[in-house]
Amino acid sequence: MAKPKPPTEGTPLCNVEHIEFESRANDIKAGLIDTFLNLQRIDTNLYIARHLLKGRHSYNAVYGGQVVGQSLAAAAATVEDCFIPHSLHSYFIKTGSVDKPILYMIDRIRDGRSFCTRVVKAVQDGEAIFSCQISFHHKEPDAIKHNSIMPVVSAPEELLPAREAALEVLRSRDVDEVTAGVIQHFLKEIPDAFERVFDVRPVNPGKYLLKEDTEPMSMIWIRARENLGDDNRLHQCVAAYLTDLSMLTTAVRPHIRKGFIPSMSFSLDHCVWIHENEFRMDDWMLYETVSSKAGGSRAFIEGRLWSRDGRLIISTAQEALIRAPKV
Ligand SMILES: CCCCCCCCCCCCCCCC(=O)SCCNC(=O)CCNC(=O)[C@H](O)C(C)(C)COP(=O)(O)OP(=O)(O)OC[C@H]1O[C@@H](n2cnc3c(N)ncnc32)[C@H](O)[C@@H]1OP(=O)(O)O
């Protein structure tokens, strides 16, 4: 039999031009269910996602967390249900566009008895935009057990949603012009669709909204506004999706307060460890993020996602690119 021809230079990895695409970037709820539970399989180890959310209102760039969540959904579709995702290590290679579908190509690296490993490549226009390795683990009994203590903070019911908190700051008389400008920009940049589906409540609105000086750390309560159903896999993918939300801004926020305006800011790599299988993203979760280092146009950020009853559900780590305008 004739050997298949090797691809010539410039040949796309997978051409998506013939694939019908109707962007539903504004319909996050449908997007969460369709892409995280019913991701469309187009061939063995090949999945397509048509629901893509912008990270920022004024750019057509795909929100990084969505590619993370969809990669997890695609990889999970290739393992038995008894295997539970426990870690994901990824690189954002190229900015994705919300105007085209993303193809997820899975490499089944190994199916072991206790662990399964997958490599996922996300492709748009024939070019890789994201790659990650995901490991799944068959449930095992506790050998040792401990859990750090969750920070003691105000309950979400005592706090305002981010937009309302921001509007309250803008209405107050003691906000300077620069801070007001930053808050207005922040309000404009949040994709409307995101707010329709998720409720985000900053634990310290004064610091979060830069009315006060802040350290490179942040805590937000977050939950989906509607019931997401009982499929653990959906809650895992939604959690992975949300982990990219406040990492980069945690590093930049204190410097913005001192007058720094980034000319470019992107997540570069992203790691997620899922410690527990059963949790609900339609219940309040506390996302705590801290940046311990920034320099050389990169910042390092770590995160912890806590369930309300004090379980450490997820740990994250990320490097972000944060550039100053060229002089
Ligand atoms: C009320 C409710 C509240 C809740 C609120 C919810 C919000 C709801 C979601 C929010 C979410 C937010 C958080 C999003 C966080 C992500 O989602 S970020 C998205 C994921 N990450 C990415 O897409 C990054 C993908 N990676 C890449 O694009 C590429 O790897 C990189 C990083 C650009 C590097 O590529 P490279 O080929 O090495 O290129 P490089 O030399 O760096 O040059 C790239 C460009 O930068 C330019 N450049 C170089 N230096 C500079 C400089 N100093 N300044 C400016 N440009 C420069 C170059 O000139 C070049 O421009 P072009 O020639 O392309 O026009």
Side-chain angles (χ1 to χ4, degrees):
M1 198 168 75
K3 268 193 178 168
K5 266 193 175 165
T8 52
E9 210 183 321
T11 305
L13 289 168
C14 187
N15 197 332
V16 295
E17 265 171 23
H18 64 286
I19 294 172
E20 235 177 72
F21 178 59
E22 186 201 341
S23 173
R24 287 169 65 187
N26 283 324
D27 189 354
I28 301 199
K29 178 84 190 295
L32 294 180
I33 308 284
D34 278 8
T35 59
F36 293 161
L37 280 185
N38 309 316
L39 194 72
Q40 196 183 335
R41 178 183 176 278
I42 55 174
D43 205 339
T44 308
N45 301 333
L46 192 59
Y47 295 82
I48 188 166
R50 299 164 196 274
H51 296 273
L52 304 166
L53 171 74
K54 292 177 185 183
R56 295 159 198 146
H57 181 72
S58 52
Y59 300 102
N60 274 1
V62 174
Y63 164 54
Q66 184 152 32
V67 190
V68 173
Q70 288 176 342
S71 296
L72 179 56
T78 69
V79 302
E80 302 274 336
D81 284 348
C82 56
F83 283 97
I84 301 157
H86 70 96
S87 83
L88 176 153
H89 297 254
S90 67
Y91 284 98
F92 294 101
I93 298 164
K94 192 173 179 283
T95 310
S97 159
V98 290
D99 298 325
K100 293 165 185 172
I102 298 182
L103 287 175
Y104 291 92
M105 304 162 88
I106 317 295
D107 198 344
R108 301 180 190 226
I109 297 293
R110 181 169 185 261
D111 284 327
R113 280 190 301 270
S114 309
F115 289 88
C116 289
T117 314
R118 298 289 180 264
V119 165
V120 184
K121 182 153 65 181
V123 174
Q124 216 174 32
D125 267 350
E127 285 188 272
I129 60 162
F130 175 84
S131 79
C132 71
Q133 286 203 36
I134 305 179
S135 177
F136 296 81
H137 186 193
H138 199 290
K139 200 169 177 190
E140 294 195 30
D142 301 326
I144 55 166
K145 203 170 170 169
H146 58 250
N147 187 93
S148 286
I149 297 178
M150 182 183 181
V152 179
V153 297
S154 305
E157 292 78 10
E158 295 164 22
L159 297 164
L160 288 176
R163 181 170 293 273
E164 280 175 45
L167 293 174
E168 194 172 277
V169 171
L170 288 179
R171 277 194 299 265
S172 69
R173 288 172 188 273
D174 60 340
V175 57
D176 62 76
E177 220 174 283
V178 176
T179 308
V182 170
I183 294 175
Q184 273 152 355
H185 178 77
F186 162 80
L187 289 177
K188 227 171 50 207
E189 283 298 309
I190 301 167
D192 311 340
F194 186 88
E195 281 186 282
R196 284 201 297 278
V197 178
F198 296 103
D199 190 347
V200 175
R201 303 192 177 192
V203 166
N204 189 330
K207 292 189 173 195
Y208 187 80
L209 294 162
L210 297 177
K211 206 177 147 210
E212 301 160 23
D213 283 345
T214 174
E215 309 74 39
M217 58 186 296
S218 153
M219 278 192 264
I220 52 173
W221 285 105
I222 188 155
R223 73 165 176 191
R225 292 179 190 275
E226 286 174 47
N227 186 308
L228 292 177
D230 295 329
D231 191 322
N232 289 341
R233 188 153 54 101
L234 178 63
H235 292 273
Q236 289 152 8
C237 290
V238 171
Y241 168 91
L242 289 171
T243 53
D244 189 28
L245 193 63
S246 56
M247 299 195 85
L248 186 158
T249 49
T250 296
V252 188
R253 196 175 280 115
H255 304 278
I256 292 183
R257 171 88 183 150
K258 293 179 194 144
F260 170 75
I261 305 289
S263 56
M264 206 174 177
S265 56
F266 283 120
S267 322
L268 286 175
D269 59 14
H270 191 74
C271 299
V272 179
W273 292 268
I274 306 179
H275 310 303
E276 297 221 4
N277 176 27
E278 286 177 26
F279 57 89
R280 297 194 65 98
M281 292 311 295
D282 45 15
D283 271 350
W284 287 111
M285 305 286 272
L286 181 72
Y287 196 29
E288 181 194 9
T289 43
V290 180
S291 174
S292 49
K293 181 78 185 175
S297 294
R298 296 191 315 275
F300 177 68
I301 311 106
E302 288 165 283
R304 289 169 162 203
L305 187 75
W306 303 88
S307 61
R308 202 169 178 177
D309 58 3
R311 289 178 297 143
L312 179 60
I313 302 293
I314 285 182
S315 300
T316 56
Q318 176 176 104
E319 257 202 317
L321 175 70
I322 297 167
R323 283 178 170 157
K326 286 183 193 167
V327 279

